[in-house]
Amino acid sequence: MLTLTIDNQTISIPAGKTILEAAEALGIMVPHFCYHKELGAVGSCRMCAVTVHTGPMPGVKMACLIAVEDGMVVTTGDETVATFRERVGEWLMLNHPHDCPVCDEGGECQLQEMTISSGHGIRRYQGGKGTYTNQDLGPFIAQEMNRCIQCYRCARTYKDYCGGRDFGVMGSRNRVFFGRFKDGMLESDFSGNLVDLCPTGVFTDRTFRFKSRAWDLEQADSVCPQCGVGCATIPGGRLRELQRVRSGDNPLVNTTFICDRGRFGSGYANHPERPRQARQEDQVVSVPAALTALETQIRATVKQHGPEAVLLVGSDRASLETNWLLQRTAKHFGCRVPVLNAHRQRHQTAQMAAFDLSERLASLQDIRSSDLVLVCGVDPLAEAPLLALALRQAVRKGGRVVLYDPRPVELPCDADRVAVSPLALQELLADGGVEGRHLRDLLSQAKNPMIVAGADLLGLAGLQNIQKWAEKTSNKERPCLVYPVLAGPNSFGTALLSLPEQDDLLTRLASGKVKMLVCVDADPLLEAPEGERFAAALTRLEQLVVLDYLPTSLSRHANLFIPTCPPVEDSGTFINNEGRLRRFQRVLKPGLSLARTAPGEHPPREFSLDTPGSDPQPAVLLLQRLIGQEQPLTEVHRQLVLEQPRLAALVSLKAGEAGVRVAPAVARPHSLDPLPEQPAQTLELVVTPARYGGDLFSRYAPKLEPRKRPPCFYLHPDELQAHGLKDGDAAVVETDFGSFTLPVRSQPDMALGCVLVENSEAFPQLIPGAGLGYCVISAGGANE
Amino acid sequence: MTTIESQTTSHLLDQHILADFIQHAGEIEHPREMIIDVLRAIQLHHGWVPDDGVELTAAILGLTPVEVEEIATFYDKIFRRPVGRFVIHLCDSVCCWTRGADEIAAHLQKTLNIEFGQTTADGLFTLLPSCCLGCCGIAPAVMIKQQFYGPLTPEKVDELIATLRQEGSA
């Protein structure tokens, strides 16, 4: 620790920190632009000038560049630097328009704040200002180059941090332009970060333009529900509409970046088809009446047919509290334990992560500083976008990424990519011969090795082998950590809560004993494989009850439907891929947005005590009412921790915090089954979530439409030729789950012997994570 | 190796040179370092670098167009707009200034009847300011087609322009 004095205050701080960071730790704000804690310092804006009074070269220095030294004496507000900063402020403002009152950034503009804090207030420059022609950067980002102060943060964000290659800095000196070669949508899946990182109004959220002033928004610390990474977000809403999402700050998970799917994929909260009223057999009923009916029905069914007759289903997108209350509800009514995840295989792999791998889980922070990451069976941009950014940071620091996957995985960084079929990958992990030994040697020799394991593609057997690899390549000095990529925002949590006796959904439905099915924030038709078997089982039910906030088809089939709230309208907890408890806080109350009730006009002149469309309630509250135990969330957490001591951190957890890991469990013993033989004359079937529309939330996000792709089967060109097919032909693919006709596309970067298809709203029939699958492809259209 | 359709590029590069660039780009570790060479070759062949010239350079080197454009727009001797047959780069740095570059600048503008950045109506001359050309010994100086001329006086400028006009009309 080094001790220094800044503005007569003394601080001890580790070596390697800068004066700016030391001042920040003391609560002294030194104005700055180009410095950003994730992008680092470049010392180009000259705004953070301070006076260093000690050492061989005293004088004006840039606080972001100078490392602290023992005994250093610094002043941040003396006349020399105050004047210096005022001049810098004045100079930065030379070309800047005076459009603050109408600027989209107004109210959350760092330039505004820093100009004021620099002391510059009166314009002396009377000359002409530089002006620019703006580009059309697509539907997500609006550009207004006249406001640019050439701090280069956008280029450092888009190119350096996120690895985008279609955005750059053009021109020189006072003609510098930040943009694309030609008009068009920014291609990076992280383009939205320009909005957060630009310190002024050059890059703003086009989807949020002209909607609200930043200070009018209702905002709260939340967690993105759109994959298992669990990024910190700050959604903002007004007039009962979720208007935008920006990145929060979680140094251990996403730092200050989020992906475009999370940022622009929030349309589900205000989806026009979102069910907002309780329904019983096509009749609209009040929520209390629906709850009473539900209670009566559950009691009657259990009484008449026994505890097996009522089956409660939770999901990996429902909060920890909701899933736990489902278990409570089952106990209360004397039903058998609920199924917390309708997708059997995903549930098993999540349990593998929650129990067996829990001692050796990596965080994204760990991955960012790893020197060797072995990525197995993951397409990060589709399954966990921020993981792709973490891999890039590892590579930027000199690390190496080795990737094994059948898909044409794109990464925003260099990687040693090997295209292998899922079966070949399983064989590699099971032993792998020379190649397997080579990879294990690499991991053993690395200083800080990590394995990223895709639960969907590897399945239980694959993850078990990954665990063995990690054990074998760990040593006394350092462990080999594993980052499992799970499907849902709370896959880890649901797995941790679930009880061994829960069985899987289809087994229990097939027993014929289930008369009543209650799905809470779950749609097994869309979220679990074997949808046909599930649909058939539905017809044998007497009662289907659905509590959900998405307009899924299951909610339309329900005999009894009760609307719930998405995470932005609820408070709760998710446990992310790395076993970290992440609390989200309510941003908005439910209600039909004013944009819907009064499109562009005066709000309706109808007077009522209720907000239109405000019937939805958080699932936790509904379940509490159902069992007659309304308690604050803190009490729920206290009781939950009593049952699950691993979740002890839950009690003191706060929204906006980095979050605490669940306590590790002891790995369970398990035996490995031999790999199945591939049936002759078949190709391996690889089902992957689409980058946009793969998760259920982004299917109901209209803003994401421009990024969605039509469904098709992808094959290696050699495979196409072998089957007498051409790029663009229609083909029939026969699978265990039915036969499907789609166009085929040639994809030279994927593995041989595979058919790849993306699961999205346009092709929801095949669900990822169903295990090794095989198919037969033939020229198609004949059976249509 | 990169394959590029020849009929769409013949106006930008000689096909042999194109083939050489493609081969060389495949042999070196950082093809990015060839950006200026390719752009200059296109400029030599086509007179200036149009958008498809930037795209061709990107295709040869395995880069995105904006990565080439960043370099192309940084250097004032790569022309991203049409220029005249003779581009006059007049040095505006300190040695030339002390030796009367301002007078030469005014004279050039008057003689050619254009301002800096413009091209004469006959398409013969484009007048551009330049940072130090590195020939302070013959200040004030201009550079035309990689040839230096100086020390200049208004009379010598007239002679030079006349010679170039003659060459241009020949």
Side-chain angles (χ1 to χ4, degrees):
Chain A
M1 297 292 269
L2 304 172
T3 304
L4 69 155
T5 308
I6 304 176
D7 290 350
N8 295 323
Q9 298 182 56
T10 306
I11 184 171
S12 288
I13 194 160
K17 296 278 179 190
T18 62
I19 297 175
L20 191 74
E21 288 165 314
E24 206 167 38
L26 278 171
I28 299 167
M29 207 282 293
V30 182
H32 60 270
F33 274 114
C34 61
Y35 168 81
H36 181 275
K37 64 183 176 125
E38 297 306 329
L39 302 177
V42 287
S44 71
C45 76
R46 317 313 283 173
M47 193 57 144
C48 63
V50 294
T51 303
V52 178
H53 296 272
T54 47
M57 292 276 280
V60 175
K61 308 273 177 196
M62 294 309 127
C64 72
L65 290 180
I66 306 295
V68 291
E69 284 167 29
D70 211 24
M72 201 177 225
V73 177
V74 177
T75 50
T76 71
D78 58 274
E79 204 186 323
T80 313
V81 289
T83 315
F84 185 100
R85 288 203 299 259
E86 188 186 338
R87 294 284 149 79
V88 172
E90 180 171 17
W91 162 55
L92 285 173
M93 288 296 289
L94 276 194
N95 283 298
H96 194 80
H98 280 188
D99 65 345
C100 300
V102 296
C103 174
D104 317 88
E105 191 85 355
E108 49 182 2
C109 176
Q110 204 182 344
L111 181 63
Q112 217 169 31
E113 286 163 18
M114 295 300 159
T115 304
I116 290 165
S117 60
S118 79
H120 167 63
I122 305 292
R123 172 173 287 262
R124 291 188 295 168
Y125 172 68
Q126 297 295 324
K129 295 181 186 182
T131 53
Y132 294 86
T133 307
N134 293 320
Q135 283 183 324
D136 179 352
L137 297 179
F140 300 123
I141 307 291
Q143 187 193 38
E144 180 48 68
M145 263 304 291
N146 289 348
R147 297 180 186 141
C148 183
I149 54 157
Q150 284 83 34
C151 72
Y152 281 70
R153 260 204 205 173
C154 56
R156 290 160 72 206
T157 301
Y158 196 95
K159 292 171 62 175
D160 300 354
Y161 198 95
C162 300
R165 293 185 64 190
D166 62 326
F167 178 93
V169 191
M170 286 157 280
S172 61
R173 38 186 209 109
N174 61 340
R175 294 175 291 109
V176 167
F177 185 89
F178 298 86
R180 275 170 55 86
F181 179 58
K182 284 180 176 168
D183 283 4
M185 179 164 70
L186 287 165
E187 289 161 15
S188 167
D189 294 293
F190 306 97
S191 67
N193 291 302
L194 289 176
V195 176
D196 288 347
L197 269 290
C198 176
T200 176
V202 180
F203 298 106
T204 49
D205 183 341
R206 193 164 182 171
T207 67
F208 174 61
R209 270 201 141 179
F210 314 130
K211 287 203 164 176
S212 292
R213 282 308 195 177
W215 58 83
D216 285 332
L217 287 172
E218 298 172 72
Q219 301 191 91
D221 287 307
S222 192
V223 178
C224 179
Q226 291 180 250
C227 77
V229 172
C231 296
T233 56
I234 306 176
R238 193 167 76 98
L239 307 175
R240 304 194 291 266
E241 183 188 5
L242 181 60
Q243 296 185 331
R244 72 159 184 196
V245 176
R246 66 190 171 105
S247 179
D249 182 4
N250 189 335
L252 302 176
V253 181
N254 59 315
T255 65
T256 57
F257 296 85
I258 56 171
C259 67
D260 286 358
R261 189 164 88 195
R263 187 184 300 269
F264 303 115
S266 61
Y268 56 87
N270 296 96
H271 198 275
E273 285 162 34
R274 176 176 161 190
R276 290 186 181 269
Q277 287 179 312
R279 269 186 301 102
Q280 188 172 17
E281 309 289 357
D282 296 334
Q283 295 289 313
V284 171
V285 292
S286 72
V287 171
L291 277 178
T292 313
L294 179 56
E295 188 190 347
T296 318
Q297 283 171 11
I298 293 178
R299 285 194 194 284
T301 314
V302 172
K303 198 173 171 193
Q304 196 182 343
H305 300 286
E308 288 276 356
V310 177
L311 175 51
L312 305 174
V313 182
S315 86
D316 58 4
R317 63 181 160 96
S319 69
L320 195 67
E321 292 83 353
T322 304
N323 280 306
W324 180 75
L325 265 152
L326 263 182
Q327 293 181 328
R328 263 288 165 102
T329 308
K331 220 180 271 176
H332 177 84
F333 291 113
C335 318
R336 229 186 102 186
V337 292
V339 171
L340 294 188
N341 191 339
H343 194 310
R344 177 173 57 89
Q345 295 92 334
R346 276 183 173 171
H347 190 61
Q348 286 173 341
T349 49
Q351 279 194 311
M352 184 76 203
F355 293 93
D356 310 282
L357 293 170
S358 62
E359 293 174 302
R360 54 178 76 255
L361 289 171
S363 68
L364 283 193
Q365 170 84 320
D366 295 327
I367 289 174
R368 283 191 285 270
S369 52
S370 169
D371 62 333
L372 177 72
V373 193
L374 173 64
V375 183
C376 282
V378 188
D379 184 349
L381 288 174
E383 296 177 278
L386 256 288
L387 170 64
L389 274 197
L391 292 173
R392 177 170 171 81
Q393 306 324 309
V395 171
R396 285 178 76 201
K397 289 178 195 150
R400 182 178 169 198
V401 172
V402 183
L403 185 142
Y404 280 77
D405 197 278
R407 292 165 280 190
V409 177
E410 283 175 40
L411 281 180
C413 59
D414 286 338
D416 301 321
R417 215 179 68 78
V418 185
V420 287
S421 78
L423 191 59
L425 184 54
Q426 294 290 356
E427 281 162 1
L428 177 77
L429 291 175
D431 170 55
V434 181
E435 199 175 1
R437 215 171 315 134
H438 171 64
L439 285 173
R440 286 194 295 272
D441 284 348
L442 277 182
L443 288 168
S444 299
Q445 288 153 12
K447 282 201 199 84
N448 208 357
M450 311 272 157
I451 307 178
V452 178
D456 272 1
L457 199 95
L458 296 181
L460 190 59
L463 285 192
Q464 285 170 344
N465 281 318
I466 293 278
Q467 186 194 355
K468 279 193 182 170
W469 280 39
E471 273 167 17
K472 273 187 202 158
T473 54
S474 293
N475 59 40
K476 277 197 285 303
E477 277 82 50
R478 88 286 168 283
C480 173
L481 300 179
V482 180
Y483 187 89
V485 176
L486 308 174
N490 196 28
S491 294
F492 197 107
T494 28
L496 196 147
L497 280 186
S498 65
L499 303 162
E501 64 267 31
Q502 77 164 42
D503 273 349
D504 86 281
L505 180 67
L506 284 170
T507 315
R508 280 176 65 180
L509 285 175
S511 71
K513 291 180 190 159
V514 179
K515 305 291 173 202
M516 180 174 179
L517 187 69
V518 184
C519 295
V520 180
D521 293 352
D523 183 354
L525 274 176
L526 293 174
E527 291 167 308
E530 303 193 59
E532 276 184 22
R533 272 183 69 197
F534 178 71
L538 286 185
T539 58
R540 294 195 297 271
L541 290 174
E542 286 173 11
Q543 283 288 328
L544 172 65
V545 183
V546 176
L547 286 74
D548 207 342
Y549 49 84
L550 293 176
T552 65
S553 58
L554 195 69
S555 61
R556 284 194 288 274
H557 287 121
N559 303 96
L560 181 65
F561 175 82
I562 308 176
T564 62
C565 292
V568 286
E569 294 171 5
D570 191 5
S571 295
T573 313
F574 287 145
I575 307 183
N576 74 359
N577 287 341
E578 56 198 65
R580 193 177 299 285
L581 290 153
R582 302 279 292 112
R583 174 69 42 82
F584 53 90
Q585 215 169 18
R586 180 152 95 173
V587 180
L588 283 173
K589 288 181 187 167
L592 210 53
S593 76
L594 230 61
R596 294 271 317 285
T597 56
E601 289 163 24
H602 191 280
R605 292 180 173 83
E606 290 160 17
F607 298 96
S608 127
L609 290 174
D610 307 317
T611 308
S614 63
D615 277 1
Q617 300 284 342
V620 168
L621 193 65
L622 291 171
L623 292 173
Q624 286 183 338
R625 288 192 182 145
L626 185 64
I627 58 175
Q629 291 176 13
E630 248 185 271
Q631 290 164 329
L633 224 44
T634 48
E635 181 56 23
V636 170
H637 294 146
R638 205 186 58 78
Q639 293 176 18
L640 216 164
V641 171
L642 284 181
E643 271 179 39
Q644 297 283 352
R646 289 182 67 196
L647 301 177
L650 197 58
V651 177
S652 54
L653 190 69
K654 288 194 176 59
E657 286 178 351
V660 183
R661 291 272 184 83
V662 299
V666 180
R668 306 165 300 179
H670 48 69
S671 58
L672 285 173
D673 297 331
L675 286 172
E677 288 273 318
Q678 178 169 4
Q681 307 295 318
T682 59
L683 291 172
E684 289 189 57
L685 177 67
V686 185
V687 185
T688 181
R691 255 187 235 181
Y692 296 89
D695 66 303
L696 225 47
F697 294 98
S698 63
R699 290 184 195 180
Y700 302 101
K703 286 180 194 174
L704 290 180
E705 283 311 317
R707 288 265 175 95
K708 291 178 183 171
R709 295 192 288 209
C712 59
F713 294 119
Y714 296 96
L715 276 92
H716 191 278
D718 295 354
E719 216 66 69
L720 276 184
Q721 205 179 0
H723 288 83
L725 290 162
K726 295 194 307 295
D727 191 83
D729 282 355
V732 183
V733 168
E734 284 163 49
T735 73
D736 292 345
F737 306 106
S739 111
F740 307 98
T741 306
L742 287 177
V744 283
R745 292 259 170 255
S746 168
Q747 178 45 269
D749 293 331
M750 64 180 281
L752 281 161
C754 297
V755 174
L756 172 67
V757 66
E758 287 179 339
N759 166 262
S760 67
E761 71 254 57
F763 188 70
Q765 293 94 328
L766 290 172
I767 313 284
L772 290 169
Y774 304 99
C775 61
V776 177
I777 190 164
S778 51
N783 61 344
E784 290 262 305
Chain B
M1 192 181 280
T2 322
T3 50
I4 290 161
E5 295 196 11
S6 63
Q7 65 269 30
T8 58
T9 58
S10 54
H11 64 296
L12 296 170
L13 269 185
D14 179 86
Q15 294 310 301
H16 296 291
I17 295 176
L18 174 65
D20 282 352
F21 277 136
I22 291 173
Q23 191 191 348
H24 191 51
E27 288 165 357
I28 58 174
E29 196 181 343
H30 302 293
R32 186 185 285 262
E33 70 198 29
M34 291 167 59
I35 292 178
I36 292 179
D37 300 313
V38 181
L39 288 172
R40 289 192 57 184
I42 292 173
Q43 187 156 300
L44 200 65
H45 189 89
H46 186 260
W48 58 288
V49 182
D51 285 358
D52 54 358
V54 172
E55 284 159 345
L56 173 66
T57 309
I60 295 171
L61 305 179
L63 300 169
T64 61
V66 76
E67 287 168 336
V68 176
E69 182 78 331
E70 288 183 317
I71 305 294
T73 54
F74 179 82
Y75 291 106
D76 66 347
K77 307 216 169 27
I78 302 282
F79 309 130
R80 285 287 281 115
R81 279 190 233 163
V83 287
R85 190 156 158 206
F86 302 103
V87 180
I88 304 172
H89 297 277
L90 174 69
C91 179
D92 64 2
S93 290
V94 66
C95 289
C96 287
W97 174 65
T98 59
R99 306 279 297 160
D102 284 354
E103 190 194 347
I104 302 297
H107 186 72
L108 270 170
Q109 292 183 68
K110 204 176 115 202
T111 312
L112 297 172
N113 196 24
I114 52 173
E115 288 179 20
F116 279 99
Q118 294 183 337
T119 302
T120 51
D122 57 4
L124 270 186
F125 298 102
T126 297
L127 183 59
L128 293 176
S130 172
C131 61
C132 184
L133 292 167
C135 50
C136 309
I138 55 164
V142 295
M143 181 178 75
I144 301 162
K145 286 199 184 268
Q146 309 214 341
Q147 291 272 333
F148 298 116
Y149 302 90
L152 291 175
T153 58
E155 295 73 39
K156 284 190 180 163
V157 167
D158 291 343
E159 273 172 44
L160 181 59
I161 298 291
T163 319
L164 292 172
R165 278 226 167 91
Q166 207 165 15
E167 193 188 322
S169 58

